[in-house]
Amino acid sequence: MTVTTTPKATVTRQERVVAINPTRTCAPIGAMLATYGVHGALTINHGSQGCATYPRHQITRHTREPCEVATTSLSENAAVYGGKENLLIALKNVYERFHPTMITVCTTCLSETIGDDIPAIIGEFQENFPEISIPIVDVNTPSYVGTHITGFDNFLEVLAKSLVRRGRKPNNKINIVPGWVNPGDIRELKAMMHEMEVAAIFLTDYSETLDGGFYSEKPHFPKGGTTLEEIEDSSNSMALFALQKHVGGKAASIYDRRYGVPSHVLPMPIGLENTDQFLSKVTEVTGKEVPESIEMDRARLLDAMVDAHMYVTDMKVALFGDPDILEGLVRFTAELGLRPRYVVTATDSKQWADDMMKLAEELDLDTEFMMKTDLHELHKRVKAEPVDFLIGHSKGKFIATDENIPLIRVGFPIEDRFGYHRKAIVGYRGAMYLVEEIVNAFLSQKTVVSNTIMDMRDLEGCTLTNGSGNGHGHEKMSEMVKEA
Ligand code: SF4
């Protein structure tokens, strides 16, 4: 169904009620991931065992780190009579066995459908055990409402409402809400702030907890993460920067209204212009200049983009994943001279639709922005009108294989490659990495014959000998070069 349209671009929404090859995962994963960014915190998933197993496997496959999560392990009885007893027992067990700094209780499809009153159960637990004084927060994460990013966003809303202490003792810091990004992205943002000599509180920071080192003596909880004290103190910061609208946007407005922390919700700093915008806002708020080291990264990125344009200008690309990453990638791929032809997200968001229309008008894009949809729908589009690249997470590999086009792996989850959780796509250095991935993906499909770039797919049946053209099929190649 067409939602809105400009002369060249459209936003469509999938009306089919069944998702085929969804480009989303389940909501508790988001709250779990965000909880991982709080030092010493632990999640209890209030649901059946699979509701803990599936999310932890997803995170583990992406980050190659063990991922602890407790479950209330609801069965048939609880589904009929409620899961209160299971949750009370789980809270006590988790506290006694792990002594976490904080517990996040995530609901699931099952416990939301049963209708368990989680705040009341937590209240009863705290009354029974007044000596257990750690924060216990509950986050609504039914997977039939929203996606994994909804779970993350809901956690941040709860954090802003429940874990921040009111107060006005300026701490000379800024708050950064990176959103759903890689541990490598958070490290890159931290490096940029370090270079600018800006002190920042990250809400939250799983750059070490989900990408830590190997220690002969395993720490009780992974090293790193934002401490509860830092979260409490975040009301004293001079400003807050939310780098994703759909993950952190609600928390940003709570900081603004409730704590008087001026909040800036910006497009994700992917590519040249979005990174410029982020850094100039940080400079405006803190008074700290962008240092020469970052200026040099910017210049290097520009140079790489100039070098890249001869390969990729006007090539068509299909992008899929989470809405804010897509917004950043659309602008960046357009900056690079690519044509974003299809942009696909599982999220259903009017704000995203409006923002994409503005972007399409500004950049003069002939793009179909497809929301609340799946990879099956994208595959149909790509079959009807082929593209040169796919950019998205691992679930797109089947389209890439079927259509024999490169997939540049970005987003979550990347489970069929190693180490992608360490890759940053934010900032100038992140954009440089993307330029290299895109151009190399292009070159992986090409070869040079008599100074002419040829598509490897057109050379099937030819045997190349060190690029000299002396192998079998030389005549066929010569003909193709002449045609080219
Ligand atoms: S039942 Fe719902 S919460 Fe549990 S794993 Fe499935 S989608 Fe996620």
Side-chain angles (χ1 to χ4, degrees):
M1 182 183 89
T2 300
V3 176
T4 172
T5 183
T6 68
K8 287 171 81 178
T10 52
V11 176
T12 55
R13 180 194 282 117
Q14 175 63 45
E15 289 301 294
R16 173 163 40 79
V17 287
V18 171
I20 308 171
N21 295 336
T23 175
R24 50 161 288 178
T25 56
C26 90
I29 298 183
M32 275 174 60
L33 186 64
T35 300
Y36 250 89
V38 180
H39 178 74
L42 208 64
T43 301
I44 298 176
N45 272 3
H46 185 39
S48 58
Q49 278 197 16
C51 299
T53 307
Y54 168 63
R56 71 191 281 259
H57 276 184
Q58 282 289 99
I59 294 179
T60 295
R61 278 194 288 252
H62 183 78
T63 62
R64 316 279 166 169
E65 291 285 337
C67 179
E68 311 263 20
V69 58
T71 171
T72 52
S73 198
L74 301 185
S75 59
E76 297 92 329
N77 268 359
V80 176
Y81 300 110
K84 177 179 157 184
E85 292 310 317
N86 292 48
L87 182 52
L88 288 172
I89 293 167
L91 285 166
K92 188 149 185 294
N93 281 346
V94 162
Y95 183 75
E96 286 178 348
R97 287 193 57 186
F98 295 98
H99 292 285
T101 56
M102 180 189 109
I103 296 174
T104 299
V105 178
C106 293
T107 60
T108 57
C109 301
L110 177 57
S111 55
E112 288 277 353
T113 306
I114 296 169
D116 279 340
D117 186 347
I118 311 295
I121 299 171
I122 292 173
E124 186 176 324
F125 177 79
Q126 288 170 324
E127 243 179 66
N128 292 345
F129 300 98
E131 69 278 14
I132 300 177
S133 57
I134 60 166
I136 303 174
V137 297
D138 68 292
V139 186
N140 289 102
T141 47
S143 281
Y144 44 75
V145 180
T147 70
H148 53 286
I149 64 164
T150 318
F152 201 129
D153 195 42
N154 289 354
F155 173 87
L156 291 171
E157 188 183 6
V158 169
L159 176 150
K161 285 180 176 166
S162 315
L163 298 176
V164 180
R165 193 186 295 153
R166 276 177 203 271
R168 284 304 324 156
K169 271 200 299 184
N171 60 16
N172 220 18
K173 295 178 181 174
I174 60 169
N175 300 332
I176 296 183
V177 188
W180 189 305
V181 292
N182 269 334
D185 288 306
I186 299 177
R187 271 205 295 278
E188 179 60 22
L189 290 166
K190 285 165 92 170
M192 284 158 70
M193 291 306 102
H194 183 71
E195 284 167 74
M196 289 183 74
E197 299 179 355
V198 171
I201 297 173
F202 281 76
L203 303 168
T204 63
D205 175 8
Y206 44 84
S207 60
E208 303 305 317
T209 53
L210 282 174
D211 189 23
F214 179 85
Y215 304 101
S216 53
E217 197 171 325
K218 186 174 176 278
H220 182 58
F221 280 103
K223 294 186 181 195
T226 309
T227 63
L228 283 173
E229 292 74 24
E230 286 175 303
I231 295 173
E232 286 175 2
D233 183 42
S234 59
S235 62
N236 294 315
S237 297
M238 61 181 105
L240 179 143
F241 295 89
L243 305 183
Q244 292 187 353
K245 295 168 191 167
H246 296 80
V247 184
K250 283 189 289 187
S253 71
I254 293 168
Y255 271 85
D256 216 328
R257 283 185 280 111
R258 194 178 281 197
Y259 308 113
V261 178
S263 295
H264 309 275
V265 183
L266 303 176
M268 199 171 158
I270 299 175
L272 207 58
E273 186 165 330
N274 285 359
T275 305
D276 287 352
Q277 191 183 347
F278 169 55
L279 293 181
S280 72
K281 267 281 169 214
V282 172
T283 294
E284 188 185 307
V285 166
T286 62
K288 303 274 187 174
E289 292 299 325
V290 175
E292 196 189 348
S293 60
I294 294 182
E295 294 285 4
M296 283 171 69
D297 283 331
R298 187 182 190 282
R300 255 190 296 271
L301 170 62
L302 259 177
D303 187 52
M305 290 169 75
V306 171
D307 294 343
H309 90 277
M310 63 177 273
Y311 297 111
V312 296
T313 296
D314 221 27
M315 300 208 110
K316 285 195 258 181
V317 60
L319 305 125
F320 55 92
D322 297 339
D324 294 284
I325 290 188
L326 290 175
E327 183 182 352
L329 286 173
V330 167
R331 183 178 285 283
F332 172 64
T333 49
E335 281 173 348
L336 201 53
L338 292 157
R339 281 174 62 200
R341 185 65 194 91
Y342 306 111
V343 181
V344 171
T345 185
T347 299
D348 188 8
S349 163
K350 182 174 180 319
Q351 179 180 17
W352 189 74
D354 294 344
D355 289 347
M356 291 307 101
M357 281 294 93
K358 276 189 215 139
L359 203 55
E361 278 196 81
E362 180 196 332
L363 302 173
D364 193 30
L365 303 176
D366 59 338
T367 307
E368 181 181 353
F369 296 95
M370 303 157 67
M371 60 183 190
K372 197 173 175 278
T373 190
D374 51 37
L375 293 175
H376 175 73
E377 216 49 43
L378 175 61
H379 201 166
K380 284 194 326 201
R381 299 292 198 284
V382 170
K383 275 200 179 301
E385 185 187 331
V387 295
D388 298 288
F389 303 106
L390 298 168
I391 300 183
H393 49 72
S394 289
K395 305 289 182 196
K397 66 185 172 190
F398 301 110
I399 305 178
T401 306
D402 278 3
E403 304 307 320
N404 194 19
I405 45 177
L407 167 63
I408 292 135
R409 285 166 174 78
V410 172
F412 179 91
I414 309 288
E415 54 205 3
D416 62 336
R417 289 290 183 277
F418 185 80
Y420 273 62
H421 64 293
R422 274 187 278 276
K423 314 274 186 206
I425 59 168
V426 297
Y428 303 126
R429 290 184 286 248
M432 176 86 79
Y433 159 74
L434 284 174
V435 173
E436 289 163 1
E437 285 287 291
I438 290 168
V439 175
N440 286 332
F442 165 79
L443 291 174
S444 73
Q445 301 274 11
K446 311 285 168 182
T447 189
V448 177
V449 181
S450 303
N451 290 331
T452 303
I453 294 172
M454 301 294 296
D455 195 313
M456 293 291 276
R457 291 165 295 190
D458 295 336
L459 292 178
E460 269 169 29
C462 303
T463 305
L464 301 176
T465 310
N466 298 330
S468 65
N470 290 332
H472 302 296
H474 175 60
E475 281 172 22
K476 181 182 175 187
M477 278 189 286
S478 300
E479 271 169 36
M480 291 167 74
V481 171
K482 265 186 233 153
E483 282 169 22

